Amino acid sequence: MRKLIFISVILLCICSWANSQEINVSFEASEASPSKIDSIKKEMEFNNGKVAPNFILKDSSDNIVQLNDFKGNVVVIDFWHTSCKPCLGEYPKYKEISNWFSDSSNVTFMGICIDKGNKKALWKKRLKNLNMTGVQLFLPTNKHQNQNNQFYLDSINCYPTYILISKNGHFLGEILNMCDIMTQYQIQQGIEGKTTGESLEEVMTNAEPFSIWFNANAKSLIAK
């Protein structure tokens, strides 16, 4: 029975991952030149071991927040914008996953809204209406005012984008979608420092670690 559940979970995640890949490719092809597409793909890989550039942003109370403030924690970042329906639609799932880790002091869930400066009031309204929790920050798209944040303005081109960062500030890779159990596994592996997060492709290549983790946590995992 457990084997059947495991196979079902993997198949579901594969389908979600494939759909995500198709959406990203079509978006990039329609909006960018071939050279720009190559540049975007290079930046969007967020390869394991790549140092995550620091950012300096403000929260809804105008407090200054930096990525470097969270060294020692695994950081999960949801990049979104105020008019992105998939971003708003997927947030409840993102929140459920963050709630699953509510007892852990080793992980920080964060939202970064990338939008025009005049959308800041709408951003605060979205935070209130969706009861967005965790660290919530705003990144204006006005580039000349955001030299410290240039990497993220240039690199995040699809929404939502979920990024996993290690305790020592290195990219662990992109979470391609909020596939409950697989996402929980990726984050947990990052917390325990056993791997660099393990992408879906890596799990499919070596399913045994995931199977062991799944069996050990089956009772507490978010129900499908």
Side-chain angles (χ1 to χ4, degrees), residues 56-75:
I56 302 174
L57 300 172
K58 289 185 178 181
D59 64 15
S60 59
S61 299
D62 284 334
N63 297 311
I64 295 175
V65 178
Q66 301 186 48
L67 177 61
N68 289 344
D69 295 338
F70 302 94
K71 288 287 182 66
N73 273 23
V74 168
V75 180

Side-chain angles (χ1 to χ4, degrees), residues 116-159:
K116 295 179 181 178
N118 61 7
K119 294 292 184 71
K120 199 166 185 178
L122 178 58
W123 166 63
K124 291 182 178 182
K125 182 178 179 180
R126 296 277 192 253
L127 296 183
K128 182 178 180 180
N129 291 345
L130 287 173
N131 190 24
M132 290 187 169
T133 57
V135 180
Q136 295 295 331
L137 307 173
F138 189 82
L139 174 53
T141 55
N142 192 344
K143 293 187 178 183
H144 75 270
Q145 295 180 356
N146 281 284
Q147 293 182 3
N148 292 318
N149 310 307
Q150 194 68 45
F151 171 84
Y152 298 97
L153 287 173
D154 290 341
S155 301
I156 307 300
N157 294 275
C158 300
Y159 300 92

